[in-house]
Amino acid sequence: MIEDLTKLWDEAVLVFNGFQSETFHLHAMLFCTINDFPAYGDLSGYSVKGHHAYRIYEEDTTYIQLKHGRKIVYTRHRHFLKPHHPY
């Protein structure tokens, strides 16, 4: 899918318009998706593993690695909320 989307964006494909009986070059892009985190990594080409897995808040991401495992826990994930917010 990624290769097909790249081709549609960079090169375009020749498509026939049956209504007007003519061909045209079609460029396309993926505008919006709803997916899980691993699929987000595949689509964006960004690593979703490791200490800076959250692309949007990369510099401000706070994390700790658990002592008895390899799991990374992201802390302060609510720091962007106003003080005394119910969440």
Side-chain angles (χ1 to χ4, degrees), residues 36-54:
D36 61 1
F37 211 56
Y40 163 71
D42 291 341
L43 290 171
S44 67
Y46 187 77
S47 174
V48 293
K49 298 176 182 176
H51 295 167
H52 294 289
Y54 289 100

Side-chain angles (χ1 to χ4, degrees), residues 25-86:
H25 290 280
L26 174 72
H27 288 272
M29 69 177 207
L30 184 62
F31 177 70
C32 184
T33 64
I34 298 173
N35 46 280
D36 61 1
F37 211 56
Y40 163 71
D42 291 341
L43 290 171
S44 67
Y46 187 77
S47 174
V48 293
K49 298 176 182 176
H51 295 167
H52 294 289
Y54 289 100
R55 178 79 172 127
I56 297 170
Y57 305 109
E58 184 171 330
E59 290 84 23
D60 297 329
T61 302
T62 306
Y63 60 87
I64 58 171
Q65 188 163 2
L66 299 180
K67 290 181 182 180
H68 302 291
R70 296 183 180 180
K71 186 172 182 121
I72 297 171
V73 179
Y74 297 97
T75 57
R76 294 185 24 106
H77 57 280
R78 296 179 290 209
H79 72 278
F80 56 88
L81 294 174
K82 294 178 183 178
H84 308 294
H85 192 277

Side-chain angles (χ1 to χ4, degrees), residues 1-6 30 33 43:
M1 184 172 119
I2 302 300
E3 293 168 0
D4 293 339
L5 287 169
T6 302
L30 184 62
T33 64
L43 290 171

